[in-house]
Amino acid sequence: MTGLEKAQAILQRKNGKRLATLTAYDYPTARLLDEAGVDLLLVGDSLGMVVLGFPDTTHVTMEDMLHHTAAVARAKTKAIVVADLPINSYDTPAMALDNARRLIDAGAEAVKLEGGIRQAEKVHAITTMGIPVCGHIGMLPQRVLEEGGYRKKGKTPEQASALLEGANALVEAGVFAIVLESVIPEVARHLTAELSVPTIGIGSGGESCDGEVAVITDLLGSYPWFVPPFAQPEADLSSSITQAVTAYRNRIQKP
Ligand code: KIV
């Protein structure tokens, strides 16, 4: 299946089985997640924090994204591989298209970028060239410094209607899905009901969207230093790693 066909299949899940999405930043994780049946694999710029050790996503570069996208793409997954356009890589429509093409050449099958109405022209520039785009509205991690933190969105009627306006502009520009990050559940449910493309929630209430996305380290409990309040870990890999390494050290160093 081509990337476009995979994106079309995701779009058609609007009223079907909910979409299970996870981030992946490397080959073995991508293979394991794909073998477990995940629908979308997101090479998220969250890699800045959970892989590269930066405090937020504003340090991530195109070179970082190309490197990790290529690693994930080598897993040749059934799941669609969506790569984030990092901060400052889509300032103009021409830049957005050029960098989207670079991510596709590295093996991505779709790209994601953050923002609503002010990104519609850039999304359109990419989708008209046959590259599938996933939108991302609500809390925008690439703007965390301007906003002074991670805040819930949609709390006021003005915010709620700006989110709907932005989402509609993205749909018109051709996105195949939209991530809703930290949108209050009531507004996330409303957006999900109104939009013709699937919504994929994170921190937006359990069942409010057509699917969910989680950062893989939150799911696996492998990044214990910061766990977002909405995370629902299904494993505690950091403890398993500590135990295994302690056992190894004891075996090597035994008197
Ligand atoms: O970078 C990322 O992992 C993301 C998800 C949080 C949606 O954009």
Side-chain angles (χ1 to χ4, degrees):
M1 252 187 168
T2 66
L4 262 176
E5 286 165 346
K6 288 184 183 181
Q8 199 56 35
I10 297 294
L11 181 57
Q12 279 160 9
R13 292 270 291 275
K14 173 67 187 172
N15 294 307
K17 212 185 214 179
R18 296 185 78 229
L19 295 161
T21 308
L22 283 168
T23 65
Y25 316 102
D26 59 52
Y27 170 85
T29 310
R31 270 193 78 168
L32 287 169
L33 302 188
D34 194 51
E35 283 164 18
V38 157
D39 299 302
L40 295 96
L41 284 173
L42 172 64
V43 189
D45 59 359
S46 49
L47 87 86
M49 287 99 87
V50 302
V51 175
L52 302 178
F54 290 118
D56 53 56
T57 64
T58 66
H59 303 263
V60 177
T61 64
M62 266 307 289
E63 278 56 44
D64 296 330
M65 291 308 305
L66 292 167
H67 182 77
H68 287 270
T69 298
V72 167
R74 275 179 216 116
K76 302 206 182 317
T77 58
K78 287 202 285 296
I80 183 167
V81 173
V82 182
D84 264 339
L85 279 159
I87 191 165
N88 301 331
S89 72
Y90 51 100
D91 295 347
T92 64
M95 234 179 129
L97 176 59
D98 183 45
N99 283 319
R101 282 184 165 138
R102 292 174 71 200
L103 288 169
I104 297 291
D105 288 346
E109 295 169 304
V111 299
K112 175 166 83 61
L113 53 76
E114 295 184 5
I117 216 151
R118 69 181 190 184
Q119 308 300 10
E121 208 189 332
K122 297 158 194 171
V123 170
H124 187 252
I126 304 171
T127 57
T128 47
M129 296 314 290
I131 298 175
V133 178
C134 178
H136 182 154
I137 60 172
M139 169 59 211
L140 307 178
Q142 291 175 8
R143 294 216 205 124
V144 67
L145 301 179
E146 284 132 88
E147 299 212 355
Y150 296 90
R151 300 189 206 295
K152 287 276 173 204
K153 298 292 171 175
K155 282 174 154 177
T156 62
E158 293 73 28
Q159 269 188 14
S161 47
L163 285 170
L164 182 58
E165 208 185 337
N168 278 328
L170 293 176
V171 172
E172 209 162 303
V175 296
F176 70 94
I178 302 183
V179 168
L180 304 184
E181 179 160 354
S182 296
V183 173
I184 63 165
E186 189 194 331
V187 174
R189 273 194 297 276
H190 181 63
L191 291 169
T192 301
E194 289 293 313
L195 298 174
S196 57
V197 303
T199 58
I200 302 176
I202 178 163
S204 299
E207 303 273 312
S208 320
C209 298
D210 299 306
E212 284 285 310
V213 53
V215 172
I216 187 65
T217 51
D218 292 343
L219 181 76
L220 300 181
S222 58
Y223 191 87
W225 307 282
F226 174 73
V227 182
F230 52 77
Q232 293 183 285
E234 297 285 356
D236 181 8
L237 285 201
S238 60
S239 299
S240 303
I241 292 170
T242 305
Q243 263 173 29
V245 174
T246 306
Y248 168 78
R249 186 169 49 75
N250 289 342
R251 175 157 51 87
I252 299 303
Q253 296 177 343
K254 76 177 170 231

